Amino acid sequence: MSDLPADTLLNVEDAPEDQEEPQLLPLDAWHRAHGGRMVPFAGYIMPVQYEGIMAEHLWCRENAGLFDVSHMGQLVFTGDGVDPAQALEAVLPGDITGLGQNRMRYSLLLNEEGGVLDDLMVTRRAGEEGTDEIYVVVNGATKYDDIGHFLDSMSDDITINLRDEQALLAVQGPKAVDAVSRLIPGVEALVFMTAGAFEWNGTPLWISRSGYTGEDGVEISIPAEHAAAFADAICAEPEVKPIGLGARDSLRLEAGLPLYGHDLDPETTPVMADLGFALSKRRREAGDFAGAARILAERESGPAVKRVGLIVTGRQPVREGASVVAEDGSVIGRVTSGGFAPTLGAPIAMAYVPAALAIVGTAVRLIQRGKVHDATVSAMPFVPHRYVRQSTKTGA
């Protein structure tokens, strides 16, 4: 069982009651054999923890952890005489056509009002036919809606292939690349937000140096039938242990990374969410993306509310759904993620507050279940990112 309170399992056990029967991950039996406590999440049964969230969190910060993120949608876009990168710019606000080979970019799927339908990772890579293809990883809970939106927004010359025969594994932590490179030489030459094709025991892999913890690490797309063997091999390395959803959530919260469906939704714009970096300069100048009029106006005049980090006074975490209140008790904002930060030894949260309060050091009050909590607006990330932006390969 957890070494933290039960309600520390943030955003994990929140599957709706009317959801269809959850699917099983390719590694379902592997997780159970390794002591994983399984829970429904994003339409799947997934491991929330193995030996305890606190221990797993700290292990990943100091060593390396294996995360199964096979619920995510792995999409490949190809074009029949059409550049799929150009087609994607109809629905994404980033410079996708300017993306170099094996280069990645964080982007946002937007609706016509500028609201966020999903956040995702985009990579240009060489396709099997010798032409470029675009590899996109989307959130698990939204992948089928995303595919529908893409199909509605693109011409029939674009083909979208959901690679559901592929598992997706992440190895994260300061010792992650050292461990992976023993199995897959050459991985250490990758830098943050680059990717490439590799092999392990004759099995083709697609590996990116990226992740969702704020730590260095890689994400590995591997044929599902080989995932368990690879999981065994990487966890045989002394630095690597399996890590569940609970620690994944607390790690990404410390890293200041939003979670779709909680910190991002169709009512939230990139400017409100403090994700303006995902709007490339060329696209801003052209104003040719979904929701551009509203988003550019918010960039010019400022949004009504902004996503901020909060350090909560005391030891009691404040959870998603808590209210941010003014001195007279009126509700002026909302907490979208919150929990105890093992690295800091203190509770933290993300919230949307009026823009005038989105200044580091501003004191705010939160109400959760009738109890008042004091908090202070903090810069994010709460824990510095440790991405590797220069090759660690000798002589590189």
Side-chain angles (χ1 to χ4, degrees), residues 25 31 36-39 45-50 68 243-246:
L25 298 171
H31 294 307
R37 175 187 168 196
M38 310 300 285
V39 300
I45 298 295
M46 300 186 65
V48 67
Q49 64 182 50
Y50 298 86
D68 186 355
I243 308 293
L245 284 170

Side-chain angles (χ1 to χ4, degrees), residues 11-20 22 39-45:
N11 309 323
V12 170
E13 298 178 336
D14 56 358
E17 293 181 2
D18 60 350
Q19 179 176 287
E20 295 181 2
V39 300
F41 176 75
Y44 288 80
I45 298 295

Side-chain angles (χ1 to χ4, degrees), residues 334-384:
R334 61 188 174 92
V335 172
T336 53
S337 286
F340 189 81
T343 308
L344 301 178
I348 59 175
M350 292 183 198
Y352 282 85
V353 302
L357 298 182
I359 300 170
V360 172
T362 300
V364 297
R365 299 170 67 198
L366 313 174
I367 293 184
Q368 176 178 256
R369 299 173 184 170
K371 184 177 179 180
V372 177
H373 300 261
D374 293 323
T376 305
V377 174
S378 168
M380 291 191 290
F382 299 97
V383 173

Side-chain angles (χ1 to χ4, degrees), residues 222-237:
I222 180 172
E225 64 267 27
H226 299 291
F230 182 81
D232 282 338
I234 193 62
C235 286
E237 298 299 319

Side-chain angles (χ1 to χ4, degrees), residues 212-271:
Y212 191 51
T213 61
E215 294 290 341
D216 184 25
V218 296
E219 293 192 346
I220 303 168
S221 179
I222 180 172
E225 64 267 27
H226 299 291
F230 182 81
D232 282 338
I234 193 62
C235 286
E237 298 299 319
E239 303 94 334
V240 184
K241 291 182 178 181
I243 308 293
L245 284 170
R248 185 170 182 258
D249 192 63
S250 56
L251 288 159
R252 70 90 192 169
L253 182 56
E254 287 187 346
L257 302 175
L259 176 64
Y260 192 81
H262 301 269
D263 311 297
L264 302 174
D265 59 37
E267 306 303 316
T268 304
T269 69
V271 184

